[in-house]
Amino acid sequence: MNNPSSDQKPTESSASGGLFFLFGLAVVAVFTWFAFTSISPAHLPINVSSAPQSKGIDQLIWLVHLLMAVLFIGWLLYFFYTIFRFRKERNPKADYVGVRSHASTWLEGIVAIIEGVLLVGFAIPIWANASYNFPQEKDSTVIKVIAQQFKWNGWYTSINGKFAKQDRHFVSPDNPFGLDKTDPNFKDNFFVSSDLVVPINKPVLAYVSSLDVIHCFKVNPLRVTQDAIPGMVIPAHFTPAQLGTYQINCAQLCGNAHYAMHGTLKVVSAEDYAKWVADHTKSGGGAGGGYE
Amino acid sequence: MQASTHTDSHSHDAHGGHDHHEPGFWQKYIFSTDHKVIGIQYGITSLMFLFFGFLLMLCMRWQMANPGQPIPVVGSWLHAILGDEMVAKDAQGRVGVMMPDLYNSFGAMHGTIMVFLAIVPLAFGAFGNFVTPLQIGACDMTFPRINMVSYQCYFLGGVLMLASFFIPGGAAKSGWTSYSPLATVAGGGHHPDGQTFWLIGMVALITSSLLGAVNFITTIIQLRAKGLTWMRMPFFVWAQFVTGFLLLLAFPPLEAAGVLQLADNMLGTSFFLPTGLVVSGQPMHVSGGGSPLLWQHLFWFLGHPEVYVLILPGMGIVTEIIANNTRKPIWGYRSLVYAIMGIGFLSFIVWAHHMYLTGMGTKISTFFQTTTMMISIPSVIILTALFISLWGGSMRFNTPMLFALAFLPMFGVGGLTGLPLGFNASDIFLHDTYYVIAHFHYVVAPGTIFALFAGIYYWYPKATGRMMNEFWGRVHFGLSFIFMNLVFMPMFIQGMEGMSRRMYDGGASYAAAAGSTGLGAFVIGLNKNITYAAFGLGLAQIPFIINFFWSITKGKKVTSDNPWHATTLEWQTPTPPPHGNFDKEIEVFRGPYEYSVPGAPTDYTTQNEPDKQAPLTHGNPVRS
Amino acid sequence: MSESHDHNHDHDHSPEEIKKHLKRYYIIGVALALGTLLTVWANFLDFGSPTINIVVALIIASVKGFLVVAFFMHLISEKKMIYSILVFTVFFFAALMYLTLWSMHPANIIQTHFN
Amino acid sequence: MEIPYAVKPRPDTGLYNAKVGIWLFLASEVMLFGALFSSYILLRVNAEPGTWPHHWLNIPLGTCNTIVLIGSSITVVLSWASLKMGDFAKYRKFQAITILCAMAFMGIKSYEYNDKFQHYEFALKNGNVVDGHVDREKSTVKVPFWTPFKITDESGKGIIVVHGHKIESKDNAEGHAELMDGNKHPAHTEIEIAVSDIKDFSNYGPWHNTYTAIYFVLTGLHALHVFGGALVIFVVWGPLAGVWKKDPERYTNRVEVSGLFWHFVDLVWIFLFPVLYLL
Ligand code: HEA
Ligand code: HEA
Ligand code: CUA
Ligand SMILES: [Cu+2]
């Protein structure tokens, strides 16, 4: 039933057209500005890690956002021009064919190529640095980070750099980490809760795991994020290059106090670190049972 | 929907067998097998869930902006309903402070309700049911009774989800992603707990979706009108078709995973629980040997296709409306079709981009980020085709068109911000921050919701025989547009500054704890702005809700069956369409968007227009 | 849709055709039963490595599965539409199996030992 | 209003509606079982070495059940063929056998389930393990079937009698391997254990280990399918038989569709059997 007799006109934008467009222009302008300033890597927090991937992460974020900004602004300008130029009042008769050029195919191709370049040139190598090219244990400060509802346990070893044997089958109420207490290395080990300390300018190799549910070890200024998954021990690394106290976030929902599960990571000089370790090995650490 | 004429018919008997018998109220509106009635049932139910999901979020937003402050008015209601465990007093003894458990429940249920009970049922259940058979010229779905059961399963799932708020321990509180082991231990010893309800509810919802998907796909394959070849199908139908496949093949793994998690929670199995768990200082008494990552894989195997389930029907709606209101064919119809098939296909092999930080090796994350970048290309193609379709049009800016146009940049923002998440290296920083929240809300809220609003305004006259009020529609649009952006845009800032999601106090205690390197006061302060905007967004819906109900009886009557002068078949039925839809068998001769065909008498040539009266062009102008 | 040829009769399942198939059904039935016994028997053979036992069992099961699907479910003479649905399903099924397994394989998870 | 192509195939696709519908449904079933199979593989690959059981289930019973199910698949296809040739009586006979086979299958399955629920493993405080069937007559306390596995023993002198064998220390690798290997049948004796000696115990229900867990879920879900399939076949066979007279083509289609489902159930079992019983 093609109904030429139907007399009802489709609803149209009426006389206020001009005003409407001025208003539209204003909205679009404000919107663009708003988006441009909001979605911007300028908001990234300071980056104090000198590990190879940490700088790369920021670089990649900048580059992707550059691509996004170009696409976004380009399309938006086009968009606004079309709705201005091809509104009914100005263009009463639509063109059946519309655009005849192949420009869009090129555009799509270019987007694909840029994505490919970012992928191969940046994302993959940066990721390899973050999760494949780990520093040697002997060159780094090795710590084990064991998350638990709702705090961060740090497990350190002092002199010989060896950790006691750990076995899930040893787990019991008074031995939540499942340590082998007969292991000679156990004497060297000590534990801290929520306030971790590492020396400056030396790679930190953190083995992240969890006792109960999934948490996520995240220190924003060091650009390190690693899920802490029970049953797995996953290494993460970073190289603090600036003294200070940084916040450890828990970035994975882990229960009702998830919002309060923060710890601190204190970056100190090598000497201070040695002193701190010595203190801990003497007091509380080792066979004395350094964990709650 | 002309309720006034039929509500008085005999509601007591339901002898369906006799053809000449006027069906009773129950049979006509509640246990109907008519796809249009089922579509409207889906629509009303899912809009209510949409509203409810939003109300949950308002409570959470209040808490984020004003941590520890009692929620005005609603706080004491919540206290009366949910008790001391969930809603407490503040320091001054004022009742109505949301507890962390309640915040987590609301968060998980907001996500679940919005995704599974609001948007999918609205986009697929309501629009799919109401529009698809009409657009393909069918008299109904292939399996009308299964269609009814599908709605009932959905309803049941919804009831179970809602009921879970009232059981001891409250509703599920492990996020909509329900990661194990948290999902198993969060119940705090209650059996069954909210998570149990969630899982059983999900099984009902999945069953509903599966039945719906089988029905839709079969209908589109089998009941297309004579002459309606695949490449003559309206893009909306294509979108529903691909969506159907996503639901059909992606949901079962979550159903399986749900059964396994249910067993973990109720039977003491250890599918997702590794050996050596220590919860609250006590070794957990389970056999162990399972893997938390297994849950994540099965969840995201659904999860990612699911997000395209949320967007594809929206894209379909927007395409219909843009073609109609530019009065010209969609540019590159074929490339749209291939792109949507590409999205459907690829969406099954990108899921682990939600899991980059679970200790994935380089090879695997390279694979998944490559597929993720690949899937962004068909999205770019679709958006590009829609943008280019505007060129040369003769646009009229009615409410559906305004929403449809706004969809484009909104989806653009959401989609583009998916890119830095898709690269694993940049995701290291952005993962689980508010940047992610902002990313996906841009696609689902100002994206999909706007598309759905557009669809409601557009097809409303077909369903009711009356138009919605145009002025209030524009008010609704303008305010929604502004507030949506005010809600979600600042979240990008928060995310980029490193604020984590799912924070009961909006990150305040993090800011307070860490001195110089934590979140700044500015970032925390944005919480307030966002919350005010969210309230504004709520108020902006009032014109819509009133308009929606008011227009059923008071709206301007349509004087034609085709008030928008559209080309597709749904406008060739009587208004509202009777049971069986079309007066006579309908035959299709041309493509879906034959607007402004050179030499045609009107600027629209309907699909069923035989060649004698208008020049027959071959389908659509392809990219030449 | 090609409106042209109107073949309301599907030749594959006409009564005469079915009659010819009857014997085939019996034979396949017997083959399936024998296949089952074969699997069990092969399972107790010592091939030198349990992996071979697994592979053998799975191959036999696949052959049996093929017989059921192809002949009992007469997929072998099914319409094109069904094939296109199943091709995708098989692909996604493979993706689900393979990618998950691949992702979770200990060698691909950056994980140190935790016994 | 009659839905088109509900009975006659649509010319261009060559299919009637229910045929498309059932294949779509089966496609989703493939993904459902696919997820469970991939869980199985994963749990197995990730299991600590030497902890995945081998030949724990009763192979003769499993073989028998496989053949029962295959038999039912043959009768299903034959019954459909009979209908195609217009022989309703023969269809009835074949389909009756199908339903009997389904019942036999479920009977055997429940016997196997029960056997696993009677089978316990007790870890004693001294590190020994006792594994076997509990003799409920001779035991002086009630031993639960279901979690939580706690025994109420007021007297403090409760005794449980087990027909099975004892492994001296769990850390003893050989003993452990013995427990995991169903082929090693150490001499069964009657063992008495004092409740006070028990550290921990459970039967071989789903909670026992990841193997029993996935075993029960896979076979349980499969059993549900057997039940559902048999129910549909029965309903078409009995209560709906009248349709044959009125509309034989529709009736045959229904038989075909329910048959397709049944073959799928058979197909799943063809893989379940080696995977769970043999490998
Ligand atoms: C409808 C929903 C939807 C859609 C369509 C998308 C689309 C995309 N998503 Fe998103 N995503 C979600 C919903 C969605 N997502 C949800 C719900 C989550 C979080 C789940 C949770 O953890 O709870 C999530 C999370 C998420 C993550 C995980 C982040 C993390 O947890 O760390 C990633 C990572 O790769 C990602 C990537 C992408 C990509 C690359 C796309 C691409 O498909 C996007 C492609 C689109 C484009 C590239 C835009 C093209 C447009 C133009 C070029 C025109 C521009 C024009 C103007 C601006 C005018 N998404
Ligand atoms: C489809 C999905 C969808 C949609 C539409 C929305 C919509 C909204 N979401 Fe949601 N959100 C999620 C899915 C969605 N969300 C998910 C998956 C999460 C993650 C959960 C998790 O952490 O596990 C999340 C998390 C989430 C958070 C983060 C919480 C946290 O991390 O702690 C926030 C914070 O502000 C938020 C806000 C909002 C807001 C303000 C809207 C608004 O856009 C809402 C707009 C809606 C309305 C204004 C209602 C309109 C109603 C009508 C028009 C009714 C009409 C009725 C009739 C006519 C009968 N959402
Ligand atoms: Cu720990 Cu969140
Ligand atoms: Cu995704």
Side-chain angles (χ1 to χ4, degrees):
Chain A
M1 259 189 296
N2 180 3
N3 238 335
S5 62
S6 77
D7 47 7
Q8 186 169 18
K9 281 269 173 319
T11 325
E12 285 160 17
S13 83
S14 49
S16 60
L19 217 72
F20 186 67
F21 275 102
L22 274 178
F23 176 69
L25 182 67
V27 169
V28 172
V30 171
F31 169 69
T32 316
W33 172 81
F34 188 34
F36 198 66
T37 48
S38 300
I39 315 176
S40 157
H43 294 290
L44 281 171
I46 49 160
N47 182 346
V48 300
S49 169
S50 60
Q53 80 277 10
S54 311
K55 294 276 170 287
I57 290 173
D58 286 14
Q59 256 172 24
L60 181 61
I61 293 182
W62 272 103
L63 287 172
V64 184
H65 280 79
L66 210 64
L67 170 68
M68 288 155 58
V70 170
L71 283 174
F72 180 72
I73 293 184
W75 274 121
L76 217 58
L77 292 177
Y78 164 87
F79 182 54
F80 189 71
Y81 178 72
T82 51
I83 55 182
F84 177 74
R85 167 71 183 76
F86 295 108
R87 67 185 202 271
K88 187 168 181 189
E89 292 78 14
R90 259 198 88 166
N91 196 35
K93 179 112 189 66
D95 172 6
Y96 180 71
V97 180
V99 169
R100 289 168 175 80
S101 85
H102 293 280
S104 67
T105 316
W106 283 101
L107 186 75
E108 285 152 11
I110 291 170
V111 172
I113 290 170
I114 298 178
E115 281 182 5
V117 169
L118 290 177
L119 193 64
V120 178
F122 292 85
I124 294 173
I126 296 169
W127 180 267
N129 282 333
S131 72
Y132 187 73
N133 303 328
F134 290 105
Q136 295 288 313
E137 286 204 358
K138 62 176 171 27
D139 303 329
S140 15
T141 312
V142 185
I143 54 178
K144 298 204 174 191
V145 177
I146 304 178
Q148 139 183 25
Q149 284 173 332
F150 296 94
K151 65 179 181 198
W152 297 100
N153 298 294
W155 175 8
Y156 287 77
T157 169
S158 55
I159 314 146
N160 66 6
K162 290 211 179 80
F163 289 97
K165 196 167 159 273
Q166 195 184 14
D167 191 319
R168 285 183 250 181
H169 299 295
F170 294 156
V171 169
S172 67
D174 51 350
N175 186 4
F177 299 158
L179 303 178
D180 181 357
K181 295 187 178 175
T182 60
D183 190 317
N185 293 322
F186 185 65
K187 288 201 186 61
D188 268 354
N189 295 175
F190 66 91
F191 294 83
V192 295
S193 168
S194 289
D195 296 313
L196 311 187
V197 178
V198 291
I200 191 169
N201 289 336
K202 188 175 173 193
V204 177
L205 188 54
Y207 290 102
V208 182
S209 69
S210 166
L211 289 186
D212 37 39
V213 302
I214 303 178
H215 305 263
C216 183
F217 177 76
K218 180 160 187 171
V219 188
N220 285 327
L222 291 162
R223 300 293 186 268
V224 56
T225 313
Q226 179 55 59
D227 277 2
I229 302 175
M232 295 170 73
V233 179
I234 309 170
H237 72 105
F238 51 92
T239 312
Q242 190 176 312
L243 298 178
T245 305
Y246 306 104
Q247 180 176 293
I248 305 172
N249 290 10
C250 178
Q252 182 67 260
L253 181 64
C254 55
N256 54 15
H258 158 66
Y259 73 100
M261 183 170 162
H262 41 69
T264 59
L265 186 84
K266 196 166 172 187
V267 178
V268 298
S269 67
E271 303 82 67
D272 287 351
Y273 181 70
K275 225 173 105 237
W276 181 80
V277 169
D279 279 355
H280 272 83
T281 330
K282 263 184 264 138
S283 70
Y291 55 83
E292 299 88 309
Chain B
M1 276 221 76
Q2 284 188 325
S4 50
T5 53
H6 292 299
T7 33
D8 53 344
S9 49
H10 351 266
S11 55
H12 48 277
D13 70 0
H15 303 289
H18 314 279
D19 295 331
H20 44 267
H21 198 99
E22 176 78 352
F25 170 80
W26 286 94
Q27 222 189 354
K28 198 155 186 239
Y29 295 110
I30 307 297
F31 295 103
S32 173
T33 55
D34 182 348
H35 73 98
K36 298 178 292 298
V37 178
I38 294 175
I40 289 165
Q41 289 174 337
Y42 260 115
I44 301 281
T45 320
S46 56
L47 277 171
M48 309 237 256
F49 274 115
L50 182 66
F51 197 61
F52 182 68
F54 176 60
L55 293 182
L56 294 181
M57 185 42 72
L58 280 188
C59 297
M60 294 168 69
R61 287 282 359 153
W62 171 270
Q63 160 64 26
M64 273 185 258
N66 312 290
Q69 300 280 321
I71 308 171
V73 190
V74 179
S76 49
W77 299 348
L78 284 176
H79 179 259
I81 302 170
L82 301 172
D84 292 330
E85 203 188 338
M86 293 290 163
V87 183
K89 294 192 171 79
D90 71 350
Q92 283 90 51
R94 291 173 302 173
V95 76
V97 181
M98 183 178 225
M99 289 278 93
D101 272 340
L102 188 63
Y103 180 89
N104 287 347
S105 281
F106 277 16
M109 296 311 278
H110 164 78
T112 308
I113 287 175
M114 284 304 200
V115 172
F116 298 110
L117 288 160
I119 302 294
V120 174
L122 189 53
F124 189 67
F127 283 106
N129 257 308
F130 190 89
V131 180
T132 310
L134 294 176
Q135 274 196 339
I136 61 174
C139 58
D140 203 325
M141 292 289 216
T142 38
F143 310 115
R145 231 163 319 148
I146 290 185
N147 205 13
M148 176 183 76
V149 174
S150 162
Y151 172 74
Q152 288 164 347
C153 285
Y154 159 62
F155 193 81
L156 177 75
V159 169
L160 280 169
M161 292 283 181
L162 291 182
S164 71
F165 281 102
F166 302 104
I167 62 168
K173 38 180 158 308
S174 308
W176 80 291
T177 48
S178 287
Y179 279 7
S180 279
L182 182 60
T184 301
V185 304
H190 293 290
H191 283 292
D193 60 3
Q195 191 64 27
T196 316
F197 274 65
W198 188 89
L199 289 164
I200 297 175
M202 282 306 292
V203 169
L205 293 176
I206 294 171
T207 309
S208 155
S209 291
L210 289 178
L211 296 177
V214 169
N215 217 339
F216 275 76
I217 301 173
T218 315
T219 305
I220 295 172
I221 292 177
Q222 292 286 96
L223 300 189
R224 274 169 295 127
K226 195 161 176 224
L228 189 64
T229 56
W230 290 98
M231 281 300 167
R232 285 180 183 168
M233 285 197 323
F235 187 62
F236 177 80
V237 177
W238 269 109
Q240 294 290 335
F241 187 66
V242 174
T243 306
F245 269 105
L246 296 184
L247 288 173
L248 184 79
L249 300 178
F251 248 140
L254 184 65
E255 186 149 28
V259 170
L260 300 186
Q261 197 178 70
L262 203 57
D264 273 8
N265 294 2
M266 301 302 286
L267 296 181
T269 59
S270 302
F271 289 107
F272 308 126
L273 308 176
T275 310
L277 283 182
V278 183
V279 178
S280 325
Q282 289 301 314
M284 205 170 157
H285 195 85
V286 290
S287 58
S291 162
L293 286 191
L294 177 57
W295 167 265
Q296 296 192 17
H297 278 292
L298 296 178
F299 181 87
W300 289 116
F301 186 84
L302 158 88
H304 191 86
E306 177 72 19
V307 307
Y308 286 96
V309 170
L310 298 174
I311 200 76
L312 297 184
M315 288 176 165
I317 295 172
V318 166
T319 308
E320 297 300 304
I321 292 171
I322 285 187
N324 179 262
N325 289 301
T326 53
R327 313 307 294 165
K328 67 182 280 298
I330 288 297
W331 189 86
Y333 169 84
R334 266 168 201 277
S335 62
L336 277 184
V337 171
Y338 295 135
I340 202 169
M341 290 201 272
I343 289 185
F345 182 79
L346 285 169
S347 69
F348 281 93
I349 48 173
V350 303
W351 77 84
H353 65 208
H354 296 271
M355 301 168 57
Y356 285 143
L357 294 164
T358 55
M360 240 189 233
T362 313
K363 276 189 220 134
I364 291 156
S365 70
T366 298
F367 173 84
F368 280 109
Q369 69 171 332
T370 308
T371 52
T372 302
M373 286 307 124
M374 280 160 65
I375 202 175
S376 69
I377 299 299
S379 304
V380 171
I381 293 178
I382 291 181
L383 264 259
T384 307
L386 291 179
F387 270 127
I388 293 184
S389 297
L390 303 178
W391 192 272
S394 173
M395 277 184 243
R396 45 191 205 197
F397 297 99
N398 43 35
T399 311
M401 182 63 164
L402 290 176
F403 275 111
L405 283 177
F407 170 90
L408 301 175
M410 296 295 98
F411 176 77
V413 171
L416 288 174
T417 51
L419 299 180
L421 299 173
F423 289 116
N424 54 11
S426 36
D427 191 51
I428 293 177
F429 182 78
L430 296 171
H431 177 63
D432 267 348
T433 62
Y434 260 78
Y435 195 93
V436 177
I437 299 283
H439 151 65
F440 75 75
H441 279 92
Y442 258 98
V443 258
V444 295
T448 305
I449 292 188
F450 277 11
L452 298 175
F453 281 151
I456 292 174
Y457 284 100
Y458 183 65
W459 279 299
Y460 192 91
K462 179 80 332 193
T464 63
R466 289 168 192 272
M467 309 287 277
M468 283 177 79
N469 182 293
E470 188 64 23
F471 174 76
W472 288 109
R474 286 183 191 191
V475 171
H476 175 215
F477 167 74
L479 294 178
S480 295
F481 182 83
I482 292 168
F483 284 119
M484 276 289 186
N485 282 291
L486 288 177
V487 170
F488 295 116
M489 197 60 87
M491 292 186 186
F492 284 117
I493 303 180
Q494 294 185 317
M496 198 64 94
E497 297 254 9
M499 182 170 137
S500 295
R501 55 194 283 206
R502 294 165 167 171
M503 287 284 151
Y504 164 63
D505 60 357
S509 76
Y510 274 38
S516 63
T517 67
L519 296 167
F522 168 64
V523 182
I524 302 298
L526 285 177
N527 277 333
K528 281 208 184 351
N529 302 35
I530 295 173
T531 300
Y532 297 145
F535 278 93
L537 180 60
L539 294 180
Q541 307 310 312
I542 292 175
F544 171 67
I545 297 173
I546 296 178
N547 195 352
F548 185 89
F549 289 110
W550 184 82
S551 302
I552 293 176
T553 50
K554 303 273 162 47
K556 196 169 75 186
K557 264 217 167 95
V558 293
T559 52
S560 134
D561 288 334
N562 189 359
W564 307 111
H565 290 181
T567 52
T568 40
L569 297 183
E570 77 270 33
W571 304 102
Q572 299 304 314
T573 63
T575 306
H579 197 50
N581 297 343
F582 293 89
D583 296 337
K584 50 181 191 292
E585 210 190 320
I586 200 155
E587 187 172 352
V588 169
F589 298 96
R590 56 188 73 237
Y593 306 117
E594 294 292 89
Y595 289 101
S596 303
V597 180
T602 49
D603 75 343
Y604 64 108
T605 313
T606 60
Q607 286 195 272
N608 58 334
E609 185 71 38
D611 28 345
K612 276 148 273 162
Q613 308 192 2
L616 184 65
T617 49
H618 294 282
N620 281 282
V622 188
R623 295 180 172 202
S624 49
Chain C
M1 183 169 71
S2 49
E3 300 92 354
S4 50
H5 52 268
D6 183 37
H7 70 127
N8 49 4
H9 203 91
D10 50 340
H11 348 254
D12 316 299
H13 296 152
S14 61
E16 307 78 56
E17 206 65 23
I18 298 276
K19 205 165 259 162
K20 277 188 228 143
H21 286 169
L22 280 183
K23 208 163 130 206
R24 198 200 261 175
Y25 293 145
Y26 281 109
I27 294 174
I28 292 169
V30 173
L32 288 173
L34 288 179
T36 309
L37 297 176
L38 184 72
T39 328
V40 177
W41 175 71
N43 190 251
F44 285 94
L45 294 182
D46 185 2
F47 291 112
S49 148
T51 321
I52 301 181
N53 285 79
I54 293 179
V55 172
V56 168
L58 288 182
I59 288 178
I60 300 177
S62 304
V63 172
K64 284 165 68 187
F66 171 77
L67 292 178
V68 170
V69 176
F71 299 107
F72 283 2
M73 300 170 89
H74 34 83
L75 189 63
I76 204 146
S77 57
E78 200 43 275
K79 300 288 173 300
K80 222 174 72 207
M81 180 60 70
I82 303 289
Y83 284 129
S84 20
I85 294 170
L86 292 181
V87 163
F88 283 106
T89 310
V90 167
F91 179 82
F92 296 140
F93 174 80
L96 173 63
M97 299 286 262
Y98 181 71
L99 289 179
T100 322
L101 185 62
W102 188 44
S103 313
M104 301 254 311
H105 194 274
N108 277 319
I109 296 179
I110 325 161
Q111 178 180 13
T112 57
H113 226 61
F114 183 10
N115 275 312
Chain D
M1 180 188 71
E2 174 74 11
I3 308 280
Y5 314 120
V7 178
K8 291 261 185 263
R10 177 179 164 117
D12 63 347
T13 58
L15 299 160
Y16 58 90
N17 296 343
K19 183 88 153 266
V20 181
I22 189 73
W23 276 107
L24 287 168
F25 180 69
L26 293 182
S28 89
E29 292 276 74
V30 167
M31 298 306 285
L32 179 70
F33 280 99
L36 291 175
F37 273 112
S38 77
S39 305
Y40 166 90
I41 300 176
L42 261 155
L43 291 171
R44 180 174 179 148
V45 170
N46 278 15
E48 289 168 51
T51 59
W52 193 262
H54 184 61
H55 284 193
W56 252 15
L57 302 173
N58 189 328
I59 295 175
L61 274 186
T63 314
C64 175
N65 239 355
T66 312
I67 290 178
V68 167
L69 215 49
I70 287 173
S72 72
S73 234
I74 304 170
T75 56
V76 162
V77 73
L78 290 176
S79 72
W80 168 75
S82 314
L83 269 192
K84 274 273 173 193
M85 296 182 297
D87 190 341
F88 187 73
K90 216 164 172 190
Y91 150 79
R92 272 270 177 123
K93 246 177 264 152
F94 278 128
Q95 215 60 322
I97 304 179
T98 309
I99 295 165
L100 288 178
C101 281
M103 281 154 71
F105 180 87
M106 296 292 267
I108 295 178
K109 200 76 233 154
S110 43
Y111 172 81
E112 287 183 271
Y113 270 25
N114 185 47
D115 189 56
K116 289 290 160 226
F117 279 105
Q118 300 292 352
H119 195 155
Y120 285 79
E121 186 183 314
F122 296 88
L124 304 187
K125 284 180 179 147
N126 59 8
N128 293 353
V129 171
V130 175
D131 184 86
H133 288 77
V134 167
D135 189 329
R136 291 179 192 276
E137 306 278 282
K138 292 188 185 157
S139 305
T140 62
V141 288
K142 268 219 178 95
V143 187
F145 281 108
W146 199 258
T147 48
F149 286 97
K150 287 211 181 75
I151 295 178
T152 34
D153 175 23
E154 269 124 37
S155 65
K157 296 199 191 86
I159 276 179
I160 299 169
V161 178
V162 179
H163 295 282
H165 66 290
K166 189 183 224 160
I167 293 153
E168 280 308 330
S169 161
K170 197 164 186 177
D171 287 352
N172 172 342
E174 256 170 58
H176 202 239
E178 228 168 65
L179 258 184
M180 288 299 133
D181 193 338
N183 289 340
K184 303 218 170 80
H185 285 294
H188 272 205
T189 48
E190 199 173 286
I191 303 163
E192 226 181 69
I193 35 185
V195 172
S196 53
D197 283 347
I198 297 173
K199 187 171 133 223
D200 197 7
F201 75 102
S202 77
N203 60 6
Y204 280 30
W207 36 76
H208 190 75
N209 57 24
T210 42
Y211 172 79
T212 57
I214 194 78
Y215 162 72
F216 276 102
V217 169
L218 270 170
T219 53
L221 196 68
H222 178 262
L224 272 180
H225 279 74
V226 171
F227 179 77
L231 193 69
V232 171
I233 287 176
F234 172 76
V235 169
V236 175
W237 180 82
L240 292 182
V243 178
W244 169 252
K245 287 251 167 54
K246 277 185 251 149
D247 191 347
E249 194 164 358
R250 185 184 292 262
Y251 192 75
T252 314
N253 285 349
R254 283 189 184 161
V255 171
E256 184 181 13
V257 166
S258 60
L260 283 173
F261 181 76
W262 191 259
H263 294 308
F264 176 79
V265 173
D266 184 27
L267 177 70
V268 171
W269 184 259
I270 285 179
F271 283 94
L272 279 184
F273 170 63
V275 161
L276 293 173
Y277 285 73
L278 302 177
L279 302 181

